[in-house]
């Protein structure tokens, strides 16, 4: 397996432990991998990806880093935090979608003093054109990170995460993670194939993109980068999107309450609440045995919880 340079940004390994309250309620052994506790800003899955992406940017001599997403993007906020930590200049070129006011992750972008530009578009082509224009304006070449940091190199961060989990020695029957742009699920599935071949990977889709095409494609490209020739079993996809991307669902909000009330662990309404709801749904359908070890990968996202208007719960 080929190795890639990475910069150290998070505190790894993140905690991994069994959730006794949730396990008792769901009738199977539920474990959690706390990638929300990785030590940068409010934590989250993007930090593992950025350890590779920003190492690549540095190696290629870039000082300016740009990325995109919606207004409350955890990925964009973490890209800014990580770039600043490395002494690089971040510019966030965000879709003017979602809560653009100074709430949630936008509070952190504001306090970091980040250059945030909103573009009123649904098209990433428009966003990348805006990035080129801004780079020209600043007179610096920009290292452009795609939405969610979801490319072949970023996904290698989750191959690492699965190796870290394998080193715990616990045999997991299944691993559940949120799937929003696909890079995490791709890395988890590739990492499972390499390091935990007995573990079934379940990707809880929180958006409506064709992940059954996107995720295997990223897996193939990551495997090519790493120069591994293993069989690539695709994850099992379950649909947890509900009323739409970043719109809370009843099922997701119930799962947020279950996790917070039983374990004191904070999930969010866009990603991790819905993903955990997927695990809860499968457990209630009897898909896990009482002796199974089922892993929930906590991918962060707390910031988004505080952007939402909880006076009207489903907004
Ligand atoms: C981005 C994100 C995800 C989804 O990861 P992808 O690699 O984009 O599929 C899950 N949880 C949180 C909190 C995120 O910010």
């Amino acid at each position: 397996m080929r190795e890639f340079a990475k910069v150290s940004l998070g505190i790894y390994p993140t905690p991994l432990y069994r959730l006794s309250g949730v396990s008792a309620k769901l009738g199977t052994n539920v474990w959690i991998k706390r990638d929300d506790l990785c030590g940068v800003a409010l934590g989250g899955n993007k930090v593992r990806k950025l350890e590779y992406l920003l190492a690549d940017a540095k190696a290629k001599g870039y000082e300016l880093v740009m990325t995109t997403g919606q207004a409350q993007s955890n990925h964009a906020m973490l890209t800014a935090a990580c770039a600043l930590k490395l002494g690089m200049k971040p510019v966030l070129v965000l879709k003017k979608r979602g809560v653009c006011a100074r709430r949630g992750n936008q509070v952190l972008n504001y306090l970091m003093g980040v250059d945030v530009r909103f573009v009123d578009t649904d098209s990433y082509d428009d966003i990348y054109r805006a990035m080129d224009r801004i780079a020209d304006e600043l007179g610096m070449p920009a290292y452009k990170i795609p939405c969610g940091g979801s490319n072949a190199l970023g996904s290698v961060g989750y191959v690492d995460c699965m190796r870290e989990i394998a080193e715990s020695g616990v045999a997991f029957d299944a691993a559940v993670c949120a799937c929003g742009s696909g890079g995490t699920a791709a890395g988890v599935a590739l990492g499972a194939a390499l390091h935990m071949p007995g573990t079934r990977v379940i990707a809880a889709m929180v958006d409506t993109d064709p992940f059954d095409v996107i995720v295997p494609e990223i897996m193939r490209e990551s495997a090519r980068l790493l120069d591994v020739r293993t069989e690539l079993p695709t994850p099992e996809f379950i649909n947890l999107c509900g009323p739409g991307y970043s719109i809370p669902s009843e099922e997701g909000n119930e799962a947020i309450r279950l996790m917070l009330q039983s374990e004191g662990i904070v999930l969010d309404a866009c990603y991790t609440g819905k993903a955990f709801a997927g695990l809860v749904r499968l457990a209630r359908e009897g898909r896990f045995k009482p002796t199974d070890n089922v892993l929930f990968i906590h991918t962060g996202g707390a910031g988004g919880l505080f952007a939402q208007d909880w006076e009207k719960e489903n907004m």
Side-chain angles (χ1 to χ4, degrees):
M1 187 152 81
R2 197 181 289 141
E3 297 264 333
F4 282 84
K6 62 173 166 175
V7 288
S8 170
L9 291 167
I11 302 166
Y12 299 112
T14 52
L16 171 75
Y17 57 93
R18 185 178 177 276
L19 300 174
S20 54
V22 161
S23 295
K25 284 175 186 156
L26 297 182
T28 189
N29 299 293
V30 181
W31 292 65
I32 194 163
K33 178 65 171 165
R34 298 290 307 269
D35 270 13
D36 58 318
L37 296 182
C38 73
V40 182
L42 300 174
N45 57 340
K46 304 313 180 313
V47 178
R48 287 189 193 268
K49 299 180 183 187
L50 288 162
E51 289 197 334
Y52 284 103
L53 295 167
L54 293 178
D56 186 46
K58 281 233 158 206
K60 291 175 177 161
Y62 289 93
E63 287 165 37
L64 174 63
V65 180
M66 291 190 187
T67 196
T68 186
Q70 294 201 0
Q72 288 298 325
S73 168
N74 303 306
H75 161 70
M77 179 276 288
L78 285 167
T79 299
C82 291
L84 288 171
K85 210 162 127 77
L86 295 174
M88 303 169 97
K89 178 182 169 57
V91 176
L92 304 181
V93 185
L94 304 180
K95 286 185 180 173
K96 198 173 180 181
R97 298 290 180 267
V99 179
C100 302
R102 208 166 278 163
R103 298 227 307 264
N105 284 314
Q106 285 301 337
V107 175
L108 299 178
N109 292 337
Y110 172 67
L111 292 174
M112 285 189 280
V114 181
D115 185 348
V116 178
R117 318 279 182 110
F118 285 111
V119 184
D120 191 358
T121 182
D122 285 311
S123 144
Y124 280 115
D125 288 341
D126 291 346
I127 293 279
Y128 286 108
R129 268 195 295 277
M131 284 183 180
D132 289 336
R133 230 174 19 247
I134 295 161
D136 274 351
E137 178 193 301
L138 297 172
M140 292 162 87
Y143 185 83
K144 291 180 252 179
I145 297 176
C147 181
S150 283
N151 59 18
L153 184 60
S155 287
V156 174
Y158 271 82
V159 176
D160 289 355
C161 179
M162 295 308 274
R163 190 180 48 210
E164 212 175 276
I165 293 164
E167 281 164 3
S168 73
V170 181
F172 288 103
D173 299 283
V176 179
C177 68
C179 182
S181 60
T184 300
V188 167
L190 179 56
L194 293 169
H195 304 296
M196 304 168 60
T199 308
R200 211 166 94 218
V201 174
I202 299 161
M205 302 181 289
V206 301
D207 204 344
T208 52
D209 298 303
F211 291 110
D212 56 329
V213 179
I214 294 168
V215 171
E217 180 60 28
I218 303 174
M219 286 176 73
R220 275 192 296 277
E221 286 173 18
S222 289
R224 207 177 304 135
L225 268 191
L226 291 171
D227 199 23
V228 292
R229 265 159 278 249
T230 174
E231 248 196 87
L232 300 175
T234 37
E236 178 183 332
F237 293 98
I238 50 174
N239 182 4
L240 273 296
C241 188
Y245 172 73
S246 88
I247 303 170
S249 67
E250 256 177 60
E251 203 178 355
N253 288 357
E254 190 213 330
I256 290 175
R257 290 187 164 91
L258 172 63
M259 187 65 103
L260 190 58
Q261 292 169 4
S262 344
E263 307 288 346
I265 296 171
V266 179
L267 303 177
D268 76 292
C270 178
Y271 295 101
T272 52
K274 289 180 177 179
F276 185 57
L279 188 156
V280 172
R281 188 198 285 172
L282 295 177
R284 287 182 182 154
E285 285 172 356
R287 297 273 304 278
F288 305 125
K289 293 196 285 288
T291 51
D292 277 0
N293 287 322
V294 181
L295 178 64
F296 178 66
I297 301 176
H298 192 329
T299 47
L305 196 67
F306 301 97
Q308 245 174 278
D309 182 1
W310 287 93
E311 302 289 339
K312 309 190 237 8
E313 182 159 332
N314 288 306
M315 286 200 47

